Every structure is written in structure tokens, then in C-alpha cells.
Amino acid sequence: MNTPEPFLGVTSHTPVRHHILSVMVENKAGVLARVAGLFARRGFNIYSLAVAPAETKARFSRITIVVDAESAPLEQIVEQLDKLVNVVAISDITPKEALERELLLATIKTNVDSRTSLLDVVGKSGAAIVDVDAGSVTLMLAGTPAACDELERELENYTTVELHRTGRVALPRLGKAAPASID
Amino acid sequence: MGGLFLLTNNKRNIVQLTGAQALIKSLEMEGVEVIFGLPGGAILPVYDPLIDSSIRHVLVRHEQGAGHMAEGYALATGRPGVAMVTSGPGATNIVTPIGNAHMDSTPLVIITGQVATVAIGTDAFQECDITGITMGITKHNFLVKSAHEIPRAVAAAFHIATTGRPGPVLVDVPKDVTQSMMEWWYPATLEELDLPGYHPVVELDQDRIRQAIDLITKAERPVLYVGGGTLKSRASAQLLSFAERTGMPVVTTLMARGAFPDSHPQHLGMPGMHGMYSAVTAIQKSDLLISLGARFDDRVTGNIPAFAPRAQIIHVDIDKAEFNKVRHADVAIRSNVGAVLEAFDAALAVPQNLDVWWKEINAWREAYPLVYDEPVAEGPLRPQFVIESIATAAAPGTIVTSGVGQHQMWASQFWKFEEPGTWVNSGGAGTMGFGVPAAIGAKVGRPDRTVWCIDGDGCFQMTAQELVTARAEGIPIKVAILNNAYLGMVRQWQEMFYEERYSEVYLSPDLPDYVKWAEAMGCVGLRATNVVEMHAAIATANSINDVPVVIDFRTDSSEKVFPMVAAGASNDDIMVHPLQRESK
């Protein structure tokens, strides 16, 4: 699903021209496949995708899709998505006006020498230690995609056992114009 | 009562039905008069209550035939076509017609049987994920999980298939669902269809109408670019009124043939790869292109940057995803075509004086009409002459279907279409073998009309077995095979673009023997190798109205379709017929 980006010394999860689509869908079997299948067959690229039940839990889910607006005109992506019968509403949140958050979980190998500096990294980044054993710690950061990028870069100095990121979710900033909503 | 199992509780007025009975009753509620189908294991329960239904069932010989018949029915009548098949291979066999209907926005409702819900996902006998397979080629599809949901799914399927931009909708029904009991109900309101994300009707944007009228007012070289959406929205009357009031030239795409009378002096014919010289060139030179339910298909535009380079675009479509997909729209109006034309007429929108424009257009028409080489009395027959001869002898209002290839282009060029629903073909998908089953479906829908299938020998061999269906069901269609012994369009490309290196395109004129084959299927089989036999065979075919007729016309394999714009070339580089080249 992801198009690998050129390696520029840091791993960035923020594409150059991305848009965030907050898509309200009916909570029915196969709806995610319909959305993903549409992106695949029309040649639209997805950078990240997060799905969870929406406010009205039983009936609707919200899919937050970060799309590559260079793979196709955003208008085409939105209008084709809108044609899916199970898609109820689409909000296009421009990155400028978005409050974006992502969750990062990482298990890092530690020893006596590295533990202190790692704790330093954790402290500076605003991450939290959520699990510890004799030779490793698991830390968590809920923050902006940029903060997650920065922490991931810092962690390159350590031995990472596993690192997971959720992909971003987003809401429009308060006081900004309401996002373009298409029903 | 056959297999009908009715329990009535008088106190609560509740009717208990099986899911199968509910499915058939739902189809009756939707006004379905005919189902094209073929039974099998998973759909078996539904075929039992069908015996007691008023709905006619046409038993096909291959599920692909059922799908194309439903398409032919829909295109000829404007009503949704219905097909019903079993799970697994029954369902996959109808995938091609579903894809075809999706490309041409044809309203279909396809019912497929499915293995029992407990068996789904276990690779059970004749199981396949048909909702997954058809996700990208249906407007929507449903897997019905309980008998109670059958009425809602069927009603929603018809609503979705026939509103907005029409298209195929598939309803997949597991066997245990059709076998279980339900309390009969039927959705009485749109709300009960539970489609919170489906809003096909929009209010006409008056600002956009004003902007469009502004462009019309300034136009000196306008063209009405009429697409299939004009037929789908039944806007032919509004088109005629608007065109005559404004005096604008009209072109009708392959999907819109019949939307505007070919006999009308303002009609330039079909644009595109094999379009009329005047239609193609008028678009190229236009300063305003008013697209009415057309989608700037690559077969119309040729090279996109070179397409109508000086034209501003008014794009009218019910599907807003078509706007700016291929060509930037200066004014995009989401609406059915008729409402927009009525708004233009109400505002008395008129372009500038078009006398100069018509003078240019008429010069192109006179210089480059449709032509073909002189018929040779002893044969082989000119395919264009065969089509013109059939057309001349045909009853008014005859419906024409075709397969895909040279014969299709010649039929579109040389038949004169005067009214909607008389041209039934496979446009977007280009499905060979469409013609015969589509003719059967069209004849079932319009039994009062003569139905000719103009077919190629390659196409005929793909779906000819449905003539058994036609004979058995008493559906007397007429089939003209333009037998040039080749996959003709591929041959034409190999001749023109592959240095006459013919690769896998020869079919033989005699294998199969089309006359014997027709007779084996209970049809009248005729053969014509020269002009005298051709006229005689057409007259014989026209005199037979009780059984299907097949004529094997032996045509010249060297004939090519002209005009032609090579794939990807600019429409400015249109190749005219060799007879016209010296003068160009």
C-alpha cells in the first residue's frame, strides 16, 4: 500500500504532498475492502490508513486515509470514493488545518550502558515507558507524526526489536473553517 | 400450490414465506416481467417458487448469455434487466456481462446463489467470493445474510441500479437464507432501504447554468457532444428541441446512437476513432463543446492534449466523478441531461450566428462522406453494402445489435438510427459475443420490433449457442454474420500497423458451416456469396417471423473501417477512405 520514499537520512512518514481524508462509512462487512480496492484499481496511493468505529459506534466507522495527492488529482480520489454506496461523508482536511496525531510503540534492547541515554530520549520526546524486562523496554509516544518521526530517528542509535506506528488520525483545528464535507 | 409454503396468521396479518418465495415476490414487487437465467445447486430453492410466479424465465445455455440478454433487454426498453444464476462457475460466467454493463452504465440486477452461510469461507463446492470478484465492476453489491433482509436488498438493488448513473447491482443469496422462513414485508419508503451514503438526486445549480449560458452566448463554433447519458436520462426530446432552437451541430457517440435522428440535417454522426470526418473535425475546430452525458472516452478523444484544443467545455453529467477526469470542464453541471437542456431553453440561450460555422462543416461533409468500394456482383460482398441493404429492407423501428469489431463500426456508420433504444451494442468494454444474446434480450423486451443482430464470424462463435435458447423460447431474431473469415479488426490493425504480419487472426469461412450450425440449433440458415443471393437471403429472412434466421454473408476480408484515427494519434490526423485520399 505504501510507496517507498527516497531515503533522505531520516525516515519520514510525512509525504511531500499529502492530504488527509476523513471518511465516514457504514460499519458493514467488506467496506474497508471496497475503499482499499477502489484505491488499488484507480492507481491512487495510500500512505497510511486508520479505521475505528465513529462516534455513533454501531452504525458508522471512520477511516482516516492519508493520500498521495500526486498519484491522482484529489478531486478524482474524493469523487470516486463518494460513489461508493457505503461511504456516507468525506471530509478533506488540509495538513495546515489538521490536528494530526499518531501512536508509536517500540520495544528497544537495553543494557546498563544504554539505559540512561534511552531514558533521556524518552524524557525529551515526551514518550512513556509502558513495559520493562531485564533486557528491554517498551515505550510509547502519542504525538504528532513529526514527533514520531523524530523519536524514530533517535531510536536508530539503539537496537530496536519491534516498532509499530498506527498511521495518523486527524481532526480539523478549532476555529478553522469547517472541512470541505461531501455527502 | 407447488412448493409454495404459506402460513397466515390472520390476527396479525403476517405472511410467512421462505427466503426463496420472498425473493421472487420481491422481484414481482419491482415489476420484473422476465428473468434470464440458469439454475444450479445454490440457487435451486429460488427456482421452485418461480414456477408459481407471473415472471417469465428464459432458460439460457450459458450464464454469459443471461447477462447479455438482460443488457439487451435493458438497452432496448430502458427498464432494468434481471439475470439469475447459481454460485461458483454460474456466478463467474456472468462476470463479463456485469463488467460490460458497468462500463456502459446499463441498469441490471443480478441474483446469484451462494453456498450456505456456514460454508462461506470453507472452499465449499461451487463456492466463490462473487461479491469480492464484482466489487470493482458493479455499482454496488450485497451479500444477504438473513431471509428478513431479502426484500430490502432487492428493493435497494433496483433503486441503485436505476437511479443516478445507472449500473449493475449484484445480490448474492446463500442457500440457507433462501431456505429459511421470514415474515413478509417490503420497504415502502427510501428510508427503509437504509442507504445513508447514496444520494443520486441533486438540485440543479443555477449559477452553473448561468455560467454555461454565458459560454453558449459567446460561442461561434459550438458542438453538441451527445453521449450515452442522454439516452439513459431519456432526454432525446429535449435534445431535439434545444438543437433545433439553437441550430447547433450534433454528434452522437457510439453509446448515444439513436439519441438524435440520423436523418436530421444538424446531425454530423458519430465522432471518434471510426467517426465521421465532419463529426471528428467539427469537434477539433470547435470553440465550445457541450458534453451531454459523455465521458471523453479515449476512443473519442484520441490523443488527449490534441483533442478539441480551442474548445471550452460545458460538461453535463449525473456522475460528478466524470468532471475533470479526462478533460478540464470550464463549467461542470451535475444533473440529468434533460433538466439542463430545459433550463437552457427556458433562458432562450443562443450562440452567435453559426452561418460561417455551418459553411465549414458542410464543406467537410461534402468532401468526406462515408464511402466504400463499388460492390462486385459476383462477390465477395462488401460488408458496408450488406448492412445498407439490410437497413433498406428493414421495417421502421428495427432494433440493431452487434458484437465488437469491424462489423460493429460499420453497423454504427451505415445503419440510420432514428429513435432511442434501436442501437444495442457493447461500447466501453468491447465484449465480443455481445450481439446474439443482446438481440434475444432486446426482442423479449420489444417483441413488436424486428431485431437484427449484425455480427462478425468471430463474435458469432463466442455466444451462438444462445440461438438454441431463442428457438426454444420462441424469440425470432435475425442474425447477419459478416463472414470475412477473420478476426477482422485485429487483422486491420496488423495490416496497417504490423506490416501485414497476420498473427492468429484467420478463422476460415467454412469452419464451422454456419448454415448447418444454424439448422442444428433449430434456426433457418441461409448463405449469400454474391449480390443476388444477398438480396434474396435478406428478403427470405424478412419473411420469416416465427423462428430465428441466420445468414452467412461471405464478405471481403480485405475491407477496412474508415475513417480511422490510429490509437493515441491526434484527431487531426484522421485517415479517410483510400477512395478519398487523392482529394485530401
Side-chain angles (χ1 to χ4, degrees), chain B residues 479-524:
Chain B
V479 183
I481 306 171
L482 303 183
N483 177 6
N484 66 353
Y486 277 93
L487 297 167
M489 189 59 94
V490 184
R491 186 196 176 283
Q492 173 168 344
W493 284 48
Q494 289 179 349
E495 180 182 331
M496 295 174 68
F497 309 120
Y498 289 87
E499 295 161 340
E500 298 180 47
R501 285 162 56 82
Y502 298 115
S503 178
E504 303 299 325
V505 286
Y506 181 67
L507 296 175
S508 160
D510 304 307
L511 183 66
D513 182 323
Y514 294 100
V515 172
K516 283 187 185 163
W517 192 8
E519 287 169 356
M521 293 187 286
C523 307
V524 172

Side-chain angles (χ1 to χ4, degrees), chain B residues 6-298:
Chain B
L6 275 169
L7 280 177
T8 309
N9 179 331
N10 289 328
K11 266 183 203 158
R12 289 168 55 213
N13 201 21
I14 285 170
V15 180
Q16 294 275 332
L17 297 181
T18 66
Q21 290 167 334
L23 178 54
I24 293 297
K25 192 162 177 179
S26 298
L27 294 172
E28 290 170 352
M29 295 291 286
E30 292 297 330
V32 174
E33 58 168 10
V34 59
I35 298 171
F36 303 95
L38 194 140
I43 197 71
L44 249 170
V46 185
Y47 270 81
D48 187 76
L50 184 63
I51 296 172
D52 305 310
S53 172
S54 60
I55 299 173
R56 177 182 183 185
H57 184 271
V58 173
L59 175 62
V60 300
R61 266 50 179 180
H62 186 290
E63 290 91 346
Q64 184 187 355
H68 292 322
M69 286 177 204
E71 290 182 272
Y73 176 90
L75 290 168
T77 64
R79 298 194 293 273
V82 181
M84 183 159 74
V85 297
T86 195
S87 63
T92 56
N93 275 346
I94 205 164
V95 165
T96 297
I98 292 172
N100 191 80
H102 187 62
M103 289 292 267
D104 288 347
S105 308
T106 306
L108 294 189
V109 173
I110 310 290
I111 311 289
T112 49
Q114 181 55 277
V115 300
T117 45
V118 289
I120 289 177
T122 67
D123 304 313
F125 177 66
Q126 291 192 332
E127 180 186 358
C128 85
D129 173 20
I130 196 62
T131 50
I133 288 170
T134 59
M135 219 170 246
I137 54 167
T138 48
K139 188 170 172 187
H140 193 55
N141 60 30
F142 297 91
L143 171 59
V144 184
K145 294 276 183 61
S146 76
H148 176 74
E149 285 300 313
I150 286 174
R152 195 193 325 272
V154 171
F158 278 87
H159 178 61
I160 293 169
T162 55
T163 52
R165 179 178 181 168
V169 180
L170 181 139
V171 182
D172 197 25
V173 196
K175 192 170 187 177
D176 58 325
V177 171
T178 51
Q179 285 173 321
S180 62
M181 301 302 294
M182 57 90 76
E183 291 180 358
W184 171 251
W185 72 288
Y186 204 72
T189 63
L190 285 181
E191 283 66 43
E192 286 182 88
L193 299 185
D194 191 24
L195 299 169
Y198 185 65
H199 309 286
V201 184
V202 283
E203 209 176 311
L204 198 53
D205 184 335
Q206 295 299 337
D207 281 347
R208 300 283 179 93
I209 292 289
R210 276 189 288 275
Q211 290 164 23
I213 290 172
D214 194 42
L215 293 186
I216 290 171
T217 308
K218 290 175 187 152
E220 295 174 350
R221 305 155 76 87
V223 172
L224 291 170
Y225 163 34
V226 177
T230 301
L231 287 174
K232 295 296 189 306
S233 61
R234 297 180 172 85
S236 291
Q238 291 96 326
L239 173 63
L240 186 67
S241 152
F242 178 74
E244 292 193 333
R245 196 180 54 73
T246 59
M248 291 187 192
V250 176
V251 303
T252 51
T253 68
L254 183 67
M255 291 312 299
R257 306 287 291 121
F260 193 75
D262 274 336
S263 59
H264 197 285
Q266 283 168 250
H267 197 177
L268 311 185
M270 181 174 75
M273 180 175 271
H274 293 295
M276 295 286 285
Y277 183 92
S278 53
V280 172
T281 308
I283 287 178
Q284 286 304 94
K285 307 286 186 199
S286 64
D287 66 357
L288 178 65
L289 207 49
I290 304 177
S291 171
L292 302 171
R295 59 183 179 86
F296 296 85
D297 180 76
D298 57 271

Side-chain angles (χ1 to χ4, degrees), chain A residues 5 22 30-31 33 36 38-39 45 57 59 66 71 77 94 101 104 107 128 135 137 149 156 172 174-176:
Chain A
E5 294 150 45
S22 181
V31 173
L38 171 72
F39 274 73
N45 286 340
K57 282 185 176 84
R59 213 166 159 215
V66 180
S71 68
I77 300 175
T94 58
R101 290 297 181 269
L104 179 153
T107 298
V137 300
D149 286 352
E156 280 168 17
L174 296 177
K176 293 285 175 186

Side-chain angles (χ1 to χ4, degrees), chain A residues 10-106:
Chain A
V10 285
T11 310
S12 170
H13 288 261
T14 307
V16 186
R17 274 195 65 207
H18 75 287
H19 254 269
I20 304 151
L21 296 178
S22 181
V23 185
M24 183 85 89
V25 299
E26 286 184 82
N27 193 358
K28 285 184 175 169
V31 173
L32 181 60
R34 287 179 200 274
V35 171
L38 171 72
F39 274 73
R41 71 175 173 271
R42 296 256 174 205
F44 309 152
N45 286 340
I46 300 176
Y47 278 100
S48 75
L49 184 144
V51 196
E55 301 88 335
T56 39
K57 282 185 176 84
R59 213 166 159 215
F60 300 114
S61 285
R62 190 179 294 281
I63 305 181
T64 307
I65 313 172
V66 180
V67 300
D68 171 5
E70 275 173 3
S71 68
L74 187 70
E75 180 191 9
Q76 258 300 296
I77 300 175
V78 170
E79 297 301 353
Q80 294 292 352
L81 257 181
D82 193 39
K83 276 166 75 170
L84 295 179
V85 168
N86 298 127
V87 168
V88 178
I90 306 166
S91 305
D92 164 24
I93 313 175
T94 58
K96 256 200 333 249
E97 292 172 359
L99 261 183
E100 301 175 63
R101 290 297 181 269
E102 203 176 341
L103 183 71
L104 179 153
L105 275 177

Side-chain angles (χ1 to χ4, degrees), chain B residues 237-529:
Chain B
Q238 291 96 326
L239 173 63
L240 186 67
S241 152
F242 178 74
E244 292 193 333
R245 196 180 54 73
T246 59
M248 291 187 192
V250 176
V251 303
T252 51
T253 68
L254 183 67
M255 291 312 299
R257 306 287 291 121
F260 193 75
D262 274 336
S263 59
H264 197 285
Q266 283 168 250
H267 197 177
L268 311 185
M270 181 174 75
M273 180 175 271
H274 293 295
M276 295 286 285
Y277 183 92
S278 53
V280 172
T281 308
I283 287 178
Q284 286 304 94
K285 307 286 186 199
S286 64
D287 66 357
L288 178 65
L289 207 49
I290 304 177
S291 171
L292 302 171
R295 59 183 179 86
F296 296 85
D297 180 76
D298 57 271
R299 263 14 186 197
V300 166
T301 63
N303 179 276
I304 292 161
F307 176 71
R310 286 171 293 280
Q312 290 198 287
I313 307 289
I314 298 171
H315 195 164
V316 181
D317 209 296
I318 194 70
D319 177 3
K320 60 191 179 357
E322 288 303 332
F323 301 143
N324 307 317
K325 185 182 83 177
V326 175
R327 173 70 181 255
H328 170 75
D330 296 282
V331 180
I333 305 172
R334 186 187 181 197
S335 172
N336 68 58
V337 171
V340 172
L341 294 177
E342 281 168 12
F344 289 168
D345 271 345
L348 299 173
V350 280
Q352 299 287 306
N353 184 301
L354 301 181
D355 291 350
V356 178
W357 183 220
W358 272 111
K359 216 174 144 188
E360 285 179 72
I361 290 170
N362 286 330
W364 298 324
R365 275 172 148 177
E366 278 161 37
Y368 303 108
L370 273 183
V371 292
Y372 55 89
D373 287 307
E374 190 74 18
V376 182
E378 67 272 20
L381 298 163
R382 302 276 181 220
Q384 306 93 329
F385 184 54
V386 175
I387 293 168
E388 282 194 327
S389 303
I390 295 171
T392 304
T398 291
I399 294 169
V400 181
T401 77
S402 84
V404 168
Q406 287 183 313
H407 68 274
Q408 174 194 28
M409 292 297 106
W410 284 318
S412 174
Q413 290 177 334
F414 288 93
W415 198 282
K416 299 300 165 221
F417 299 98
E418 296 297 319
E419 58 170 312
T422 51
W423 171 236
V424 173
N425 92 129
S426 163
T431 304
M432 286 180 66
F434 178 82
V436 167
I440 294 169
K443 182 73 181 170
V444 168
R446 301 297 303 271
D448 54 320
R449 298 293 182 101
T450 301
V451 179
W452 270 101
C453 168
I454 308 288
D455 220 355
D457 46 326
C459 282
F460 184 81
Q461 290 189 57
M462 288 195 175
T463 49
Q465 78 281 354
E466 297 308 337
L467 284 166
V468 179
T469 306
R471 174 60 206 259
E473 297 273 345
I475 306 162
I477 62 165
K478 305 182 199 305
V479 183
I481 306 171
L482 303 183
N483 177 6
N484 66 353
Y486 277 93
L487 297 167
M489 189 59 94
V490 184
R491 186 196 176 283
Q492 173 168 344
W493 284 48
Q494 289 179 349
E495 180 182 331
M496 295 174 68
F497 309 120
Y498 289 87
E499 295 161 340
E500 298 180 47
R501 285 162 56 82
Y502 298 115
S503 178
E504 303 299 325
V505 286
Y506 181 67
L507 296 175
S508 160
D510 304 307
L511 183 66
D513 182 323
Y514 294 100
V515 172
K516 283 187 185 163
W517 192 8
E519 287 169 356
M521 293 187 286
C523 307
V524 172
L526 304 166
R527 179 168 292 128
T529 59

